[in-house]
């Protein structure tokens, strides 16, 4: 195991990989009926090219907001977000995104959904189709290339959504609780196949979740966030060997990491609970 | 009675419903309770319709009326969808045009007949304009609402993929609004027929409603009712045909 871990570390050597995502002192403020709400408070982190990072935190901690800011759907109140050195000014094809719901275009077949991105960028129809067919094979849905989304199961739809997000060959893949709406069995299969896909395409992935097991299973690093206002509580390195299988939950290193996360979350929730009691 | 028997009884009754209606009508007309000249029985109506068809006049009347509806409907639908997408998608266009459309929309299209006669005389343009007017606002409004009700997640997904503006309108917005648009179009089909009635009553030289009016002036009540039957049948077929097209248009439902 030590050997495997060493080998893995060598592939993502912090000094060697350039910084892909740079979130610097980002604060995000929303106007609500009760006045202004601070969704994120001076959040800073850097993600290296090719890294798989999970943003882990309770619902309402602003982790999705941070992800949307990287995507360019939200504008920060203060601070800057840079992707591949360029400041983010809006959504763009260099950052693919998978949402909690698949949001597939219901009037397009699986193939047309996936080839939409390349075609939007002006690729010839034939080339766009070839890109789509490659990805369809990769997600194992070749039999369903001409099917419409409503005929597919939730897990299949989300696989198509991942393929669609990858079709423009983005440097960054942003995933907003993509498996949150799936049942437990499907979710495990999806996690494993996502890791398989990532091993092939090698994009940088930022994955938002509130599920501790999911975060540790998938990530190179887990950024633990706290609620009200959203802050980065801890930056945890997940030094578990890859490829990872479901038996990893028995690994003492895994158990130790999970305990660390749980302890931090417990301390944080207690504090939040007491603060609410005082108010 | 079992559930199956009950169902069979209902089917039988529904099959008998229309023949029974004609039978009662025939009996009432011939019973001398009502004036047979003003209230002709279906047998007389059928004879009148047969003569109408045989004379060749029916084909002309049908063609003229259907042409007015088709052209007026097509123009109104195209304009309605176009403006609906524009006002639904671009706030600035909506701020400019929606208030105007909203004050014009509640005026019944039929009320425009007198002014349309002054503008276009008894020409075809006037008839088509009235149908267009009736269709346009319904289609515009449903398209506008349809565009605004598109799942924002789809728009986000399209933006994330780098969809250029024109492609956003033609491939995402238009299709996203299509379920609403087809409902508007189907409503507009029946609207176009009742605007046709007003248009033809206002004065013309051929058409199904024109034939009804002429027959009324000659006290040919059989022909009047025959005209109503024909109008009902055409309108029914148009609605059913459109429903079938609609199902194909929104194939992903």
């Amino acid at each position: 195991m030590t050997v495997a871990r060493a080998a893995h570390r060598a592939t993502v050597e912090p000094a060697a990989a350039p910084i892909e995502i740079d979130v610097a002192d980002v604060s995000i403020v929303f106007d609500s009926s009760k006045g202004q709400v601070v969704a994120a408070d001076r959040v800073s982190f850097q993600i290296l090219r090719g890294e798989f990072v999970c943003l882990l935190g309770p619902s309402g901690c602003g982790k999705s907001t941070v992800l949307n800011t990287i995507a360019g759907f939200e504008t920060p109140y203060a601070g800057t977000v840079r992707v591949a050195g360029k400041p983010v000014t809006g959504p763009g094809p260099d950052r693919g995104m998978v949402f909690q719901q698949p949001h597939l275009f219901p009037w397009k077949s699986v193939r047309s959904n996936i080839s939409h991105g390349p075609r939007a960028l002006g690729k010839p129809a034939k080339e766009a189709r070839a890109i789509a067919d490659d990805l369809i094979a990769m997600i194992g849905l070749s039999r369903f290339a001409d099917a419409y989304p409503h005929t597919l199961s939730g897990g299949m739809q989300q696989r198509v959504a991942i393929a669609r997000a990858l079709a423009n060959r983005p440097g960054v893949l942003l995933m907003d609780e993509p498996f949150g709406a799936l049942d437990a069995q499907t979710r495990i299969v999806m996690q494993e196949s996502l890791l398989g896909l990532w091993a092939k395409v090698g994009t940088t992935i930022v994955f938002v979740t509130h599920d501790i097991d999911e975060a540790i299973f998938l990530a190179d690093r887990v950024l633990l966030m706290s609620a009200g206002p959203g802050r980065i509580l801890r930056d945890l390195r997940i030094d578990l060997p890859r490829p990872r299988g479901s038996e990893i939950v028995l690994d003492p290193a895994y158990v130790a990491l999970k305990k660390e996360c749980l302890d931090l979350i417990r301390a944080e929730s207690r504090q939040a609970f007491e603060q609410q009691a005082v108010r | 009675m079992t559930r199956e028997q009950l169902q069979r009884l209902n089917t039988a009754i529904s099959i008998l419903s229309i023949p029974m209606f004609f039978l009662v009508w025939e009996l009432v007309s011939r019973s001398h309770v009502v004036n047979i000249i003003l209230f002709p029985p279906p047998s007389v109506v059928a004879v009148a319709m047969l003569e109408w068809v045989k004379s060749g006049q029916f084909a002309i009347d049908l063609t003229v009326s259907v042409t007015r509806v088709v052209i007026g409907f097509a123009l109104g639908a195209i304009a309605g969808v176009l403006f609906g997408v524009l006002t639904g998608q671009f706030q600035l266009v909506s701020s400019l045009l929606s208030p105007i459309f909203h004050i014009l929309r509640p005026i019944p299209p039929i009320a425009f007949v007198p002014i349309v006669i002054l503008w276009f005389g008894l020409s075809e343009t006037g008839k088509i304009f009235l149908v267009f007017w009736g269709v346009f606002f319904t289609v515009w409004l449903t398209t506008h609402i349809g565009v605004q009700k598109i799942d924002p997640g789809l728009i986000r997904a399209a933006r994330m993929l780098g969809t250029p503006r024109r492609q956003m309108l033609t491939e995402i917005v238009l299709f996203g609004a299509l379920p609403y648009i087809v409902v508007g179009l189907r409503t507009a089909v029946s609207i176009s027929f009742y605007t046709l009635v007003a248009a033809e009553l206002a004065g013309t030289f051929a058409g199904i409603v024109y034939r009804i009016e002429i027959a009324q002036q000659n006290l040919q009540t059989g022909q009047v009712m025959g005209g109503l039957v024909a109008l009902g049948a055409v309108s029914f077929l148009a609605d059913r045909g459109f429903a079938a097209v609609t199902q194909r248009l929104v194939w992903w439902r």
Side-chain angles (χ1 to χ4, degrees):
Chain A
M1 202 182 79
T2 347
V3 179
R5 196 182 298 179
H8 170 61
R9 284 265 42 86
T11 56
V12 190
E13 189 57 52
I19 293 165
E20 183 71 16
I21 300 172
D22 184 9
V23 174
D25 275 326
V26 163
S27 298
I28 301 152
V29 177
F30 285 126
D31 290 318
S32 81
S33 51
K34 289 173 193 157
Q36 291 192 320
V37 175
V38 181
D41 184 21
R42 282 161 294 162
V43 169
S44 291
F45 57 86
Q46 293 178 331
I47 294 174
L48 304 179
R49 182 163 299 165
E51 242 184 336
F52 196 136
V53 173
C54 280
L55 282 178
L56 174 67
S59 2
C61 76
K63 56 196 190 299
S64 291
T65 311
V66 170
L67 195 75
N68 279 325
T69 311
I70 302 172
F73 290 122
E74 305 279 359
T75 312
Y77 174 79
T80 52
V81 177
R82 284 169 185 277
V83 171
K86 283 175 293 190
V88 169
T89 54
D94 57 323
R95 285 149 289 141
M97 186 148 179
V98 180
F99 308 91
Q100 186 163 12
Q101 299 300 322
H103 291 313
L104 298 174
F105 307 123
W107 51 88
K108 287 176 182 254
S109 66
V110 166
R111 184 185 284 118
S112 311
N113 261 285
I114 300 173
S115 64
H116 178 93
R119 282 198 32 263
L121 299 189
K123 291 239 161 65
K126 212 179 213 177
E127 195 185 334
R129 190 188 161 101
I131 293 171
D133 284 342
D134 277 354
L135 282 163
I136 292 169
M138 249 194 250
I139 57 170
L141 288 181
S142 294
R143 278 201 312 131
F144 299 92
D146 296 309
Y148 283 91
H150 74 272
T151 63
L152 306 179
S153 69
M156 286 155 93
Q157 289 187 25
Q158 204 55 293
R159 266 141 82 189
V160 176
I162 294 170
R164 179 179 67 175
L166 289 172
N168 283 330
R169 302 191 198 290
V172 172
L173 182 62
L174 306 170
M175 307 183 83
D176 189 3
E177 302 197 41
F179 308 146
L182 304 175
D183 60 73
Q185 281 93 336
T186 313
R187 185 192 281 227
I188 290 167
V189 175
M190 292 290 286
Q191 288 164 354
E192 287 180 356
S193 69
L194 175 64
L195 286 182
L197 203 58
W198 176 61
K200 282 181 206 152
V201 296
T203 53
T204 310
I205 296 183
V206 187
F207 188 108
V208 162
T209 181
H210 61 251
D211 181 337
I212 298 173
D213 287 296
E214 183 168 68
I216 299 174
F217 179 70
L218 293 172
D220 291 323
R221 266 166 71 205
V222 171
L223 298 177
L224 201 66
M225 284 187 73
S226 71
R231 281 177 299 115
I232 302 284
L233 212 56
R234 185 71 62 91
D235 185 345
L236 278 176
R237 186 155 288 285
I238 310 296
D239 272 333
L240 295 170
R242 293 186 192 271
R244 295 176 189 168
S246 48
E247 72 289 344
I248 203 165
V249 294
L250 305 172
D251 189 323
Y254 180 96
V255 177
L257 282 164
K258 185 169 178 182
K259 185 175 184 310
E260 193 174 350
C261 283
L262 277 170
D263 288 346
L264 276 165
I265 289 169
R266 196 170 293 132
E268 182 63 22
S269 338
R270 191 169 296 141
Q271 199 184 333
F273 195 75
E274 279 160 12
Q275 274 176 3
Q276 277 171 355
V278 171
R279 273 181 223 153
Chain B
M1 215 186 284
T2 66
R3 179 187 291 251
E4 207 172 299
Q5 281 171 317
L6 201 68
Q7 200 166 2
R8 224 174 289 159
L9 181 73
N10 276 315
T11 314
I13 291 178
S14 73
I15 289 171
L16 288 175
S17 156
I18 291 172
M20 220 147 69
F21 170 71
F22 282 117
L23 186 70
V24 171
W25 176 7
E26 184 83 34
L27 290 175
V28 170
S29 288
R30 296 195 181 277
S31 66
H32 302 290
V33 176
V34 292
N35 185 337
I36 196 164
I37 301 204
L38 293 179
F39 196 71
S43 53
V44 173
V45 172
V47 170
M49 287 184 79
L50 211 64
E51 277 168 15
W52 188 19
V53 173
K54 265 194 208 154
S55 69
Q57 192 60 50
F58 176 73
I60 297 170
D61 288 333
L62 183 70
T63 312
V64 167
S65 290
V66 169
T67 306
R68 285 168 186 154
V69 167
V70 167
I71 297 177
F73 180 85
L75 294 177
I78 291 168
V81 169
L82 194 73
F83 279 96
V85 168
L86 289 177
T87 58
Q89 185 72 4
F90 304 109
Q91 188 54 51
L92 212 67
V93 184
S94 181
S95 303
L96 180 71
L97 296 179
S98 296
I100 303 172
F101 290 167
H102 277 302
I103 59 161
L104 292 177
R105 196 173 63 85
I107 307 172
I110 298 170
F112 282 88
V113 167
I115 193 80
V116 163
I117 291 175
L118 290 181
W119 288 343
F120 302 107
L122 299 182
S123 68
E124 286 307 293
T125 317
K127 314 283 177 288
I128 291 166
F129 176 83
L130 280 170
V131 175
F132 164 86
W133 191 264
V135 169
F136 172 77
F137 292 104
T138 302
V139 177
W140 165 72
L141 190 65
T142 50
T143 307
H144 177 88
I145 293 171
V147 168
Q148 301 217 308
K149 293 231 167 171
I150 294 174
D151 175 4
L154 293 181
I155 302 293
R156 279 193 164 201
R159 287 178 66 200
M160 170 272 287
L161 293 168
T163 314
R165 177 160 280 189
R166 199 183 57 81
Q167 203 180 345
M168 187 71 115
L169 285 182
T170 56
E171 277 189 36
I172 309 298
V173 172
L174 194 59
F175 281 91
L178 205 52
Y180 281 82
I181 295 175
V182 293
V183 171
L185 289 175
R186 194 167 168 195
T187 314
V189 170
S190 45
I191 291 176
S192 63
F193 275 96
Y194 76 68
T195 356
L196 175 83
V197 173
E200 292 195 357
L201 283 179
T204 178
F205 310 104
I208 293 174
V209 184
Y210 166 78
R211 198 59 52 200
I212 294 174
E213 201 194 3
I214 294 298
Q216 178 246 342
Q217 286 168 14
N218 297 333
L219 210 66
Q220 296 165 313
T221 45
Q223 170 74 75
V224 169
M225 290 198 169
L228 291 177
V229 170
L231 193 64
V234 172
S235 179
F236 174 79
L237 285 177
D239 182 63
R240 275 303 139 107
F242 202 85
V245 171
T246 301
Q247 293 238 306
R248 281 158 192 270
L249 219 56
V250 191
W251 67 86
W252 62 91
R253 282 249 163 138

